[in-house]
Amino acid sequence: MPVRLSAKLLRCALSVLLLATTGLWGCGRGGAPGPQPSPPPTADGGTGQEPGEEPAPPESVVGDWLEYLTLEEKLGQLVWVGLPGTELTAEAGQLLAEGKAGGCIFFGRQGSDPETLRRLTADLQRAATARDRATPGLVIAVDHEGGLVQRFGPPFTQWPASMALGATGSAEYAEQVGRAMARELLAVGVNMNLAPVADVNNNPANPVIGTRSFGADPGLVARLTAAFIQGLQAEGVSAAAKHFPGHGDTEVDSHFALPVIPHDRQRLDQVELVPFRAAVTAGSDAIMAGHILFPAVAQDGRPASLSADMLTGLLKGELGYEGVVITDAMDGMAAITATYGVEEGLVLAIQAGADVVLIPGSFGREDALYGVLLQAVRDGRIPESRIEDAAARVLALKEKRGLLPPLPDAAGGEHTRTAQIVAGAPTGGPAGGDDPIGAPVHQELADRVGADALTLVRNAHLPLAPNPDDLILVIGPAHANRHDRGDGVVTALGASIKELHPNTREITLERSPSALAVAAARQMAAEAAVVVYAVSDGHEHPEHVSLMGELVAGGRPVVVVGLGMPHELTAVPEIATYIAAYGDGDAHLKGVGPLLFGRAEPRGRLPVAIPGLYAAGRGLDLH
């Protein structure tokens, strides 16, 4: 009976912990409190409380669940999987029916149709709970950062990149965006956002983080990380800050190789760990461990996701993190697959202190991978106490998010199922009001953030004051959202300029344009009085570098708008007027027109340095 005794002791410890914090039904420690359940009314209609008395938080049932679940079922809570498309497959259904998965990760392959997503999340939850035994509901998660990484396209609101939030410097914006995102995700039954990116992006050569980061200043990233977490969780969606202990200062993408960060521990404390400490304080439901090697801390020589020094020693020990530690994908990133292999990687991750392992792309192999972990437990490679601790953390998160249905009663009665165990997993349309997906108020917020992020780095030509007959040529990004209004403009950028100067034409160029396309742009520019050249990471593409340099040397006013990392000036230092926009979505582009003509002030400040030219914090005013 030692396992049962351990579970009871753990239940007591959890109860004490919960009573000492803000309670399991809010957003977690440090966050804005969520809705609290009302105490049951007394016979006379009162609450049974003395005036001014705070309602007692509900008693945790995590200990009861730990006693109830078998070892095999506890292990299942630690395994989160993916789906190949928009249907619940027979293999996934069987996995859920056997209690071998505790969560599901959505990607772009699940589509963006709200009704399809609602049906799929409802099918998943039904499959997870349609067992003869009581079973926790599923965590259903998605990468919904905004900007470059947002799996759900329209009609969901398309949010500006995190770096745009960094350029505004506004924690209020970060919280508002987190809240709005949460409302849209819950409307389709998604209850975890694999965000925010808490990486400090201080390496201009970083190939994978870029505008996904809030910026290069640890204090700024920490403030916005905490606010974003609080916004998500105040609306009932779990946050998962990533990629611990920091993927910002690397020139290697962990999708393709293992990044190694050579800095000492003092530097780690002063830079990379600052936002993750803020995430711990903010009560982030989850923290995602990256496949990144920090030799100064990981004496075992393993990436953070597999390192006991990093996960158990640093994150859970020194930083005191009590939430759920999840890994980045274990089955699709060469930092793991090419070095350890998926099977061994899973075992090492759980050994090291990961509470959840993600295998979102192992379709049809999930049962075998689960079997690898179970065998490792039976062989003693993974202690049962490690499974117990990890399951307790996952169950505590699920309790907080309403994912624990009633257990059988003490007399052994049947499990009482509720019609819908997840408040945010509707079987039809969203309950309680208008559909929040793509709501006008959300789009207005996205546009406001994008406009306020615009940063005037250099200025020799603004505000523009062209004659009515002067042609303004816009060279826009071909990969931006196309509007094709039939009036000579293609993107939201062209539309924002034409609205204020009717004689505007727009052409678009690819990231790596053909010689024919470059020649056409050159010819049209020769006829223009002003050229507005918008480009994503143009400094990385010789075709754009050459054309920008040629147009600037031609003598006409050229305004360059950087739509990625703001580094075009490093390749073409002759650019006299430069605006950093941090993304190519409509929200990034709509505010450019008013700024060009002095109808709006540039409010953004560089959240990263432009190497050799400007420090973070630079931003000019028009007037």
Side-chain angles (χ1 to χ4, degrees):
M1 299 299 292
V3 173
R4 187 175 184 85
L5 177 60
S6 172
K8 287 183 176 179
L9 290 173
L10 182 57
R11 177 187 175 190
C12 293
L14 283 166
S15 296
V16 171
L17 174 63
L18 292 167
L19 288 170
T21 64
T22 58
L24 280 176
W25 303 99
C27 73
R29 291 180 296 107
Q36 301 292 321
S38 301
T42 58
D44 61 0
T47 64
Q49 294 176 247
E50 294 296 327
E53 182 183 352
E54 289 291 328
E59 181 181 358
S60 172
V61 297
V62 169
D64 294 331
W65 273 92
L66 288 171
E67 290 187 45
Y68 175 80
L69 294 176
T70 66
L71 172 66
E72 292 79 7
E73 291 169 333
K74 292 172 189 173
L75 178 62
Q77 292 299 303
L78 281 54
V79 178
W80 295 3
V81 301
L83 291 171
T86 59
E87 303 290 335
L88 175 61
T89 62
E91 294 84 358
Q94 183 66 26
L95 198 74
L96 295 173
E98 295 175 358
K100 295 178 179 178
C104 187
I105 313 301
F106 280 8
F107 286 85
R109 56 182 174 256
Q110 273 66 63
S112 301
D113 176 64
E115 291 307 316
T116 299
L117 291 168
R118 288 179 183 122
R119 173 184 49 76
L120 184 56
T121 55
D123 287 347
L124 283 163
Q125 296 292 1
R126 278 193 293 267
T129 56
R131 307 176 65 222
D132 291 336
R133 288 176 52 76
T135 304
L138 296 174
V139 171
I140 301 179
V142 69
D143 293 288
H144 206 74
E145 302 167 11
L148 291 173
V149 180
Q150 182 173 322
R151 307 300 186 194
F152 296 156
F156 288 83
T157 303
Q158 300 301 287
W159 297 99
S162 294
M163 191 162 284
L165 284 167
T168 72
S170 171
E172 182 179 359
Y173 272 158
E175 181 179 0
Q176 289 174 354
V177 169
R179 283 180 176 271
M181 282 183 173
R183 289 191 287 268
E184 296 196 20
L185 293 177
L186 277 180
V188 294
V190 173
N191 49 36
M192 176 179 279
N193 188 357
L194 299 175
V197 171
D199 303 322
V200 178
N201 190 0
N202 49 13
N203 189 331
N206 191 308
V208 64
I209 301 302
T211 57
R212 298 169 64 192
S213 166
F214 292 117
D217 177 65
L220 171 70
V221 177
R223 280 197 305 112
L224 300 192
T225 291
F228 193 94
I229 289 168
Q230 289 165 354
L232 282 171
Q233 297 190 172
E235 296 290 335
V237 168
S238 293
K242 60 189 183 186
H243 307 80
F244 178 83
H247 204 322
D249 192 3
T250 172
E251 298 180 17
V252 174
D253 183 346
S254 54
H255 289 84
F256 305 110
L258 176 63
V260 179
I261 311 296
H263 301 300
D264 60 22
R265 174 58 195 269
Q266 181 180 8
R267 151 60 190 257
L268 185 64
D269 282 327
Q270 293 173 345
V271 179
E272 280 81 7
L273 289 183
V274 174
F276 287 100
R277 290 184 188 276
V280 171
T281 300
S284 186
D285 280 359
I287 289 179
M288 178 184 285
H291 306 316
I292 312 153
L293 176 59
F294 274 78
V297 178
Q299 300 300 312
D300 49 22
R302 294 175 181 165
S305 53
L306 311 184
S307 171
D309 293 334
M310 298 297 294
L311 300 187
T312 301
L314 178 57
L315 181 54
K316 293 182 175 181
E318 291 187 43
L319 273 60
Y321 183 57
E322 296 167 347
V324 175
V325 176
I326 65 179
T327 67
D328 209 336
M330 299 293 293
D331 55 355
M333 302 180 73
I336 299 299
T337 58
T339 307
Y340 300 92
V342 178
E343 292 84 353
E344 183 65 8
L346 293 176
V347 174
L348 293 176
I350 299 295
Q351 283 179 340
D355 305 307
V356 167
V357 286
L358 304 188
I359 49 172
S362 297
F363 312 126
R365 295 186 60 222
E366 299 98 336
D367 187 73
L369 294 175
Y370 169 90
V372 168
L373 285 171
L374 182 59
Q375 191 61 48
V377 177
R378 289 172 174 166
D379 291 344
R381 292 192 65 195
I382 301 177
E384 288 190 24
S385 60
R386 178 78 270 278
I387 303 302
E388 192 86 2
D389 171 67
R393 290 170 180 259
V394 174
L395 291 169
L397 181 153
K398 291 188 173 186
E399 183 173 47
K400 185 187 300 186
R401 300 300 162 207
L403 292 166
L404 294 185
L407 281 165
D409 59 37
E414 291 187 3
H415 166 45
T416 303
R417 294 189 180 89
T418 54
Q420 179 180 310
I421 66 167
V422 192
T427 54
D434 295 333
D435 192 337
I437 296 172
V441 66
H442 292 173
Q443 188 61 59
E444 290 166 8
L445 173 61
D447 292 346
R448 193 162 65 250
V449 171
D452 283 358
L454 294 174
T455 306
L456 185 58
V457 181
R458 276 187 182 170
N459 184 28
H461 305 110
L462 304 185
L464 296 177
N467 294 319
D469 293 336
D470 288 343
L471 173 65
I472 295 180
L473 175 67
V474 178
I475 301 176
H479 47 277
N481 184 32
R482 298 182 70 87
H483 293 268
D484 290 323
R485 306 186 314 177
D487 60 354
V489 300
V490 180
T491 73
L493 172 63
S496 77
I497 297 172
K498 189 177 184 69
E499 192 171 318
L500 298 173
H501 185 76
N503 193 17
T504 295
R505 295 178 62 192
E506 182 176 24
I507 60 170
T508 61
L509 292 179
E510 301 287 350
R511 294 181 190 274
S512 296
S514 67
L516 188 62
V518 170
R522 184 186 299 116
Q523 181 178 353
M524 292 185 67
E527 304 171 8
V530 177
V531 176
V532 179
Y533 195 138
V535 59
S536 297
D537 297 313
H539 59 290
E540 297 179 350
H541 300 279
E543 304 91 343
H544 285 292
V545 170
S546 176
L547 182 58
M548 282 189 290
E550 182 180 338
L551 294 179
V552 169
R556 69 182 54 78
V558 176
V559 179
V560 175
V561 183
L563 304 180
M565 292 296 290
H567 294 156
E568 280 73 23
L569 289 174
T570 64
V572 188
E574 299 82 12
I575 294 171
T577 303
Y578 183 77
I579 298 169
Y582 314 104
D584 52 35
D586 283 4
H588 295 275
L589 302 178
K590 290 177 181 177
V592 174
L595 172 57
L596 294 179
F597 295 98
R599 304 291 183 88
E601 281 290 329
R603 296 183 175 87
R605 297 294 180 263
L606 283 175
V608 292
I610 299 179
L613 292 172
Y614 302 114
R618 179 179 174 83
L620 304 178
D621 298 324
L622 269 182
H623 302 103

